Amino acid sequence: MERLCSSPLHENISTALDKHLESIHVVQARRKDEIVNASSRQRHGPPRCQDERVVLALAAALRALCLATRRVRTALWCALQMTLPK
């Protein structure tokens, strides 16, 4: 889009994209933790309190990803509107 309008876009757009990518990486890490925790639980028996923390951390990461996705969609829509011919 920067090529279309022949000028750099606002820095908030790139910041929103960076935060969205960071949120994706956090969700992936929390999901890996949940998988490791679930597989170790099957080996060792009854569930522990640690399980709830892992699931709550994943839920918080998903909430942050949802918010970041909304922001990046809005930022990209604004960038598109700025690049369209008038």
Side-chain angles (χ1 to χ4, degrees), residues 5-75:
C5 67
S6 68
S7 66
L9 297 173
H10 197 272
E11 67 183 48
N12 288 347
I13 295 169
S14 60
T15 302
L17 287 168
D18 291 339
K19 287 184 179 184
H20 186 253
L21 183 61
E22 181 182 336
S23 296
I24 291 171
H25 290 305
V26 170
V27 168
Q28 288 174 339
R30 298 296 176 256
R31 181 67 177 129
K32 285 180 185 177
D33 292 344
E34 183 189 25
I35 291 170
V36 168
N37 196 10
S39 65
S40 67
R41 182 175 26 139
Q42 288 177 351
R43 295 182 198 150
H44 295 85
R48 301 177 185 150
C49 182
Q50 185 76 11
D51 294 344
E52 292 179 9
R53 291 185 194 146
V54 172
V55 172
L56 289 176
L58 177 61
L62 285 171
R63 182 174 188 270
L65 177 62
C66 180
L67 293 173
T69 301
R70 286 183 196 159
R71 288 186 183 123
V72 80
R73 281 179 22 206
T74 302

